[in-house]
């Protein structure tokens, strides 16, 4: 694979050679939009996603002694999404970009891709577990899937290799120079986006469709668990598909601009920034869906709410009895 010279590329908003007032107005309008979206994301989605993630971690760690395979995989999925949310704080500088060296930007990109690929393939592994649980085969594959640590280790190794490949495709030139940094660096080689689309969206989408087709079409045994028990996986799957489709389409569009030696327009840059924030919103939403729909988490939430109601009712009764005591003593 030949090296690419990407020193020519820059963000359209950073191009100071504007020739018309219309271009300046486009930049101001674009910055206003992305700034408002960033503030909405930081104010609403980030706290909600982090609180949901922490609650899920507490529930799963508390119930770890049960050694449920699906719960351990969802715990793995939750940790990946929490890391994604923490990395999303890089958008807090928008409409400007994070200032960092090429090397630092490459390191951030590596951890971002690791969480991105990891959450995708752990979710596919969860779907595979549901498939085998519904149609249990008497094979070595079924026995292997009963060892969640082994399965998680395979996924971690695979995603690490993919992330390392992506780090190489970002490029190693000018590693000491400062640049405008995105988690998917603009100065990455075109192959970077192509590999990410193929292994981070195309192949996982095919595997998800395959799993869902078998789940919905194939007749299950009478003793098989109902599909409604895992509604959160279907909701998460749809959410991931919609958000990641938008994001990956914009990545491919950015690649086409690179191949044409074009930096694109202000509107192209705006839509790419919106797609990045939508991707981070998906991580927050997935954690909320697990907390609200996954049975162990939902049961724990209901238990906490019931305990709070009992304590409130007990306190109210105590206050009423204390206020009634003086009246009773006067009547005597």
């Amino acid at each position: 694979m030949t090296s690419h010279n990407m020193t020519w590329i820059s963000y359209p908003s950073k191009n100071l050679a504007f020739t018309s007032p219309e271009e300046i107005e486009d930049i101001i309008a674009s910055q206003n939009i992305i700034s408002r979206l960033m503030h909405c994301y930081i104010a609403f989605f980030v706290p909600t996603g982090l609180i949901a993630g922490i609650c899920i971690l507490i529930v799963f760690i508390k119930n770890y002694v049960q050694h449920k395979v699906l719960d351990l995989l969802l715990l793995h999925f939750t940790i990946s999404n929490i890391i994604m949310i923490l990395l999303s704080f890089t958008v807090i500088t928008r409409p400007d970009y994070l200032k960092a060296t090429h090397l630092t930007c490459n390191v951030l990109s590596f951890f971002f891709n690791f969480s991105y690929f990891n959450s995708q393939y752990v979710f596919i592994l969860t779907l595979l577990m549901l498939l085998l649980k519904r149609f249990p085969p008497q094979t070595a594959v079924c026995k292997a899937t009963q060892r969640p640590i082994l399965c998680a280790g395979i996924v971690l190794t695979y995603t690490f290799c993919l992330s390392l490949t992506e780090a190489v495709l970002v490029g190693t030139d000018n590693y000491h120079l400062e640049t405008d940094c995105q988690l998917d660096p603009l100065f990455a080689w075109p192959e970077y986006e192509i590999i990410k689309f193929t292994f981070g969206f195309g192949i996982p989408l095919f595997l998800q469709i395959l799993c869902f087709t078998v789940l919905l079409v194939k007749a299950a045994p009478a003793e098989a668990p109902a599909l409604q028990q895992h509604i959160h996986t279907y909701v998460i799957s749809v959410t991931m598909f919609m958000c990641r489709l938008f994001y990956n389409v914009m990545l491919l569009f950015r690649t086409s601009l690179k191949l044409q030696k074009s930096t694109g327009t202000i509107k192209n840059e705006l839509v790419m920034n919106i797609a990045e924030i939508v991707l981070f919103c998906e991580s927050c939403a997935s954690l909320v869906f697990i907390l609200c729909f996954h049975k162990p988490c939902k049961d724990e939430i209901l238990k906490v709410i019931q305990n709070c109601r009992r304590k409130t009712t007990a306190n109210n009764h105590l206050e009423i009895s204390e206020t009634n005591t003086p009246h009773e003593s006067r009547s005597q």
Side-chain angles (χ1 to χ4, degrees):
M1 187 178 294
T2 58
S3 177
H4 296 275
N5 180 15
M6 303 301 295
T7 56
W8 59 270
I9 198 165
S10 65
Y11 290 99
S13 61
K14 298 293 183 178
N15 184 8
L16 301 179
F18 300 119
T19 58
S20 66
E22 288 78 10
E23 290 179 326
I24 299 175
E25 290 177 0
D26 287 343
I27 280 205
I28 295 172
S30 173
Q31 289 181 343
N32 285 335
I33 293 172
I34 196 63
S35 178
R36 290 176 183 177
L37 286 175
M38 182 272 295
H39 283 100
C40 289
Y41 169 72
I42 295 295
F44 298 107
F45 284 90
V46 169
T48 304
L50 288 178
I51 291 171
I54 292 170
C55 292
I56 295 167
L57 290 179
I58 293 172
V59 172
F60 283 167
I61 293 172
K62 181 180 177 182
N63 298 334
Y64 179 75
V65 291
Q66 297 179 9
H67 294 287
K68 291 185 177 179
V69 177
L70 289 177
D71 285 355
L72 292 176
L73 291 176
L74 286 176
L75 175 62
H76 191 165
F77 179 77
T78 299
I79 293 172
S80 296
N81 279 284
I82 289 176
I83 295 173
M84 285 269 286
I85 295 172
L86 293 177
L87 288 171
S88 73
F89 278 103
T90 55
V91 305
I92 207 166
T93 57
R94 302 294 163 83
D96 201 359
Y97 295 92
L98 180 70
K99 297 294 183 182
T101 62
H102 281 69
L103 178 61
T104 304
C105 195
N106 201 344
V107 171
L108 288 173
S109 177
F110 171 82
F111 286 108
F112 169 64
N113 284 320
F114 185 79
S115 301
Y116 178 87
F117 290 127
N118 194 41
S119 62
Q120 184 77 68
Y121 284 99
V122 166
F123 184 74
I124 292 173
L125 186 58
T126 304
L127 290 178
L128 179 61
M129 294 296 179
L130 292 177
L131 191 64
L132 295 176
K133 189 177 180 181
R134 190 167 175 80
F135 309 103
Q138 301 299 323
T139 61
V141 175
C142 187
K143 293 179 181 179
T145 55
Q146 298 305 313
R147 302 172 64 183
I149 296 178
L150 174 63
C151 296
I154 294 172
V155 171
L156 286 171
T157 304
Y158 178 65
T159 54
F160 176 82
C161 293
L162 283 177
S163 303
L164 196 60
T165 302
E166 289 289 78
V168 172
L169 294 175
V170 169
T172 56
D173 298 333
N174 305 317
Y175 64 90
H176 59 285
L177 298 180
E178 192 176 70
T179 185
D180 296 311
C181 180
Q182 252 183 316
L183 291 178
D184 279 315
L186 180 68
F187 54 84
W189 300 351
E191 290 87 352
Y192 173 93
E193 285 96 353
I194 295 172
I195 294 293
K196 186 159 187 174
F197 177 84
T198 304
F199 291 93
F201 184 75
I203 294 175
L205 177 62
F206 171 76
L207 295 175
Q208 284 187 45
I209 292 175
L210 191 62
C211 288
F212 278 118
T213 302
V214 176
L215 279 171
L216 297 174
V217 174
K218 188 175 179 181
E223 66 277 6
L227 288 174
Q228 291 78 4
Q229 291 183 7
H230 304 285
I231 188 173
H232 60 282
T233 56
Y234 316 133
V235 177
I236 291 173
S237 181
V238 173
T239 305
M240 289 179 71
F241 167 73
M242 293 175 63
C243 296
R244 298 197 178 203
L245 173 64
F246 179 35
Y247 184 71
N248 280 273
V249 166
M250 291 311 303
L251 275 182
L252 284 183
F253 181 74
R254 192 171 77 172
T255 304
S256 67
L257 292 175
K258 289 180 182 180
L259 295 174
Q260 297 169 18
K261 298 292 183 179
S262 171
T263 58
T265 65
I266 297 296
K267 291 181 180 178
N268 298 148
E269 182 182 355
L270 170 63
V271 177
M272 185 65 217
N273 283 325
I274 293 173
E276 187 179 30
I277 293 178
V278 168
L279 178 69
F280 294 137
C281 290
E282 175 257 307
S283 295
C284 300
S286 296
L287 295 179
V288 172
F289 292 144
I290 293 174
L291 184 65
C292 294
F293 295 113
H294 187 50
K295 192 175 186 305
C297 298
K298 184 171 65 174
D299 291 344
E300 198 68 29
I301 292 174
L302 293 175
K303 190 186 298 182
V304 171
I305 294 173
Q306 289 173 358
N307 290 336
C308 292
R309 286 180 178 176
R310 288 172 185 170
K311 290 180 180 179
T312 304
T313 304
N315 290 334
N316 290 337
H317 283 308
L318 183 60
E319 290 176 1
I320 292 173
S321 62
E322 288 177 352
T323 54
N324 287 341
T325 301
H327 295 287
E328 292 174 359
S329 58
R330 287 176 187 176
S331 61
Q332 292 175 356

